[in-house]
């Protein structure tokens, strides 16, 4: 077996601003041309993917401290992904390598109607096989923010491992950050998806959700109706509800590839929040942080791929200054 490429470790000196991202990392095979279906795509280019992993790289690129916990296959793709995290200075000591299941694959195309089409190969894939006994508990306990999505809630044993990791983080005083990231084809049914996503809803301190996901989770209600959101999705412990396509200033760019825009937005807000949790209590600074996060998302869509396109803090400040949206 090849040596496991790792960066950082749970026994390193604690970092008080650490963001630990939990969940899937996979290989995206992206259509070489846009405006076609998967079946029509002439060729595909491989790229690292998986929302939690994208967020971990995004935070590191912005100068923050991040770690990734998840499982990949004991195969060339799995080691490639571990190397990529190491390259971007993400602590990957919480990664595990499965000797039986392969690294997950996803084929992605951008259709002519602007929607992305996905085809996943997870039967099962390594990310679904992460066991509770494989968790790097010391790493989780160091997290200022523990970030996760919903894909790791779909199948056992990863679902139970996910819930156990959340409990460790919560007990350690971490802020729990939840990006719904709905991928309906991966769930057995819409009803199971809705139930699974909502099963950890009340534990999250920060939730990021799109308009489409609000409509899905509320059973078809108007995602733009604040009363619906407050009645059906708000809970007493919620500190920040991030409705993607929200109400702060954005940056106008010419999009090339929308993959990773939401992950870059999450990276932006979490990188600021990790260094200043009092952000929740100051609307002016919170709005500035959201404008910063919007700029992160905007910059990512100007390049192909999610991880290679994640911006640096300097690039974000530069475009904000250009747009006249820098801090006052």
């Amino acid at each position: 077996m090849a040596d496991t490429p790792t960066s950082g470790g749970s026994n390193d000196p604690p970092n008080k601003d650490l963001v630990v991202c939990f969940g899937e990392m996979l290989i995206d095979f992206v259509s070489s041309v846009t405006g076609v279906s998967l079946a029509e795509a002439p060729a595909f280019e491989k790229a690292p993917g998986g929302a939690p992993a994208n967020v971990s790289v995004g935070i590191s690129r912005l100068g923050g401290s991040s770690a990734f916990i998840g499982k990949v296959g004991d195969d060339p793709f799995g080691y490639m992904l571990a190397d990529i995290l190491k390259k971007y200075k993400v602590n990957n000591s919480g990664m595990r390598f499965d000797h039986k299941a392969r690294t997950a694959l996803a084929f992605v195309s951008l259709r002519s109607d602007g929607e992305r089409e996905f085809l996943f190969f997870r039967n099962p894939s390594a990310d679904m096989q992460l066991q509770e006994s494989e968790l790097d508990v010391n790493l989780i306990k160091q997290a200022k923010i523990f970030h996760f999505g919903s894909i790791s809630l779909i199948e056992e044993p990863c679902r139970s491992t996910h819930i156990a990791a959340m409990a460790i983080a919560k007990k350690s005083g971490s802020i729990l950050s939840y990006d719904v990231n709905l991928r309906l084809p991966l769930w057995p049914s819409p009803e199971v998806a809705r139930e699974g996503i909502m099963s950890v809803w009340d534990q999250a301190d920060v939730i990021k959700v799109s308009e489409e996901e609000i409509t899905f989770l509320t059973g078809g209600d108007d995602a733009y109706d604040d009363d619906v959101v407050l009645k059906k999705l708000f809970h007493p412990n919620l500190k920040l509800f991030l409705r993607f396509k929200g109400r702060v200033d954005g940056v106008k760019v010419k999009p090339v590839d929308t993959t990773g825009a939401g992950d870059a937005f999450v990276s932006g807000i979490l990188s600021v929040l990790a260094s200043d949790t009092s952000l929740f209590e100051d609307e002016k600074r919170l709005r500035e942080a959201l404008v910063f996060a919007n700029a992160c998302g905007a910059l990512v869509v100007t390049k192909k791929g999610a991880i290679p396109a994640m911006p640096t803090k300097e690039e974000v400040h530069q475009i904000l200054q250009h747009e006249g949206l820098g801090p006052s």
Side-chain angles (χ1 to χ4, degrees):
M1 189 182 83
D3 291 335
T4 305
T6 60
S7 63
S10 59
N11 294 319
D12 289 350
N15 186 318
K16 58 183 174 54
D17 296 336
L18 179 67
V19 180
V20 174
C21 301
F22 176 94
E24 71 282 356
M25 191 174 192
L26 60 146
I27 301 290
D28 284 335
F29 284 93
V30 184
S31 172
S32 58
V33 298
T34 59
V36 298
S37 67
L38 283 173
E40 296 165 334
F44 295 88
E45 299 172 11
K46 79 173 186 296
N54 291 345
V55 171
S56 72
V57 171
I59 289 167
S60 182
R61 288 280 288 164
L62 292 168
S65 177
S66 65
F68 174 76
I69 292 178
K71 201 170 195 182
V72 292
D74 181 18
D75 55 46
F77 286 146
Y79 289 103
M80 183 193 95
L81 293 174
D83 274 332
I84 285 169
L85 290 183
K86 185 177 180 181
K87 172 186 172 183
Y88 286 105
K89 298 180 171 57
V90 175
N91 181 336
N92 65 5
S93 63
M95 287 184 79
R96 301 293 179 258
F97 297 81
D98 197 287
H99 301 294
K100 295 180 180 178
R102 299 298 189 190
T103 300
L105 309 177
F107 287 80
V108 189
S109 71
L110 184 66
R111 301 190 313 233
S112 56
D113 61 5
E115 290 299 312
R116 285 184 295 166
E117 184 179 1
F118 293 91
L119 180 61
F120 296 94
F121 285 77
R122 305 169 82 237
N123 298 305
S125 54
D127 60 290
M128 301 159 66
Q129 301 300 308
L130 185 64
Q131 305 276 348
E132 185 177 344
S133 61
E134 296 176 304
L135 286 174
D136 189 331
V137 173
N138 288 332
L139 185 59
I140 296 170
K141 287 180 176 179
Q142 292 177 35
K144 182 76 160 287
I145 299 174
F146 183 77
H147 176 72
F148 52 90
S150 66
I151 289 176
S152 46
L153 291 167
I154 298 174
E155 296 280 356
E156 294 290 356
C158 189
R159 174 180 165 78
S160 293
T161 306
H162 177 141
I163 292 169
M166 282 178 58
I168 295 166
K170 194 77 168 177
K171 188 176 180 182
S172 302
S174 306
I175 292 169
L176 299 192
S177 166
Y178 188 14
D179 180 358
V180 172
N181 195 33
L182 176 65
R183 294 289 180 264
L184 207 48
L186 296 179
W187 292 87
S189 70
E191 293 74 26
V192 172
R194 196 175 292 112
E195 182 182 346
I197 289 168
M198 296 303 294
S199 67
V200 299
W201 194 266
D202 289 350
Q203 298 182 55
D205 302 294
V206 176
I207 294 175
K208 176 248 170 188
V209 63
S210 70
E211 308 294 355
E212 295 79 10
E213 287 163 348
I214 291 174
T215 299
F216 172 77
L217 293 173
T218 58
D221 287 338
D222 181 1
Y224 296 91
D225 187 336
D226 289 343
D227 289 337
V228 168
V229 172
L230 286 170
K231 184 178 178 182
K232 294 193 174 183
L233 298 180
F234 181 81
H235 66 79
N237 298 320
L238 190 60
K239 295 182 175 70
L240 186 59
F241 186 84
L242 299 166
R243 189 189 319 194
F244 205 48
K245 297 181 183 173
R247 298 174 182 172
V248 296
D249 292 325
V251 174
K252 291 182 180 178
V253 294
K254 185 176 181 181
V256 173
D257 178 7
T258 60
T259 306
D263 300 330
F265 172 86
V266 171
S267 301
I269 194 67
L270 293 187
S271 70
V272 179
L273 185 59
S275 61
D276 182 12
T277 54
S278 67
L279 207 63
F280 294 129
E281 301 153 17
D282 188 325
E283 184 177 346
K284 180 177 180 292
R285 286 191 298 125
L286 180 57
R287 283 184 173 274
E288 288 174 353
L290 290 170
V291 170
F292 177 85
N294 276 346
C296 292
L299 282 168
V300 161
V301 306
T302 63
K303 301 175 185 176
K304 290 197 76 172
I307 283 179
M310 290 290 171
T312 64
K313 187 182 289 187
E314 291 71 28
E315 289 170 332
V316 177
H317 285 313
Q318 187 175 17
I319 195 170
L320 287 174
Q321 292 294 333
H322 183 265
E323 296 287 323
L325 295 172
S328 56

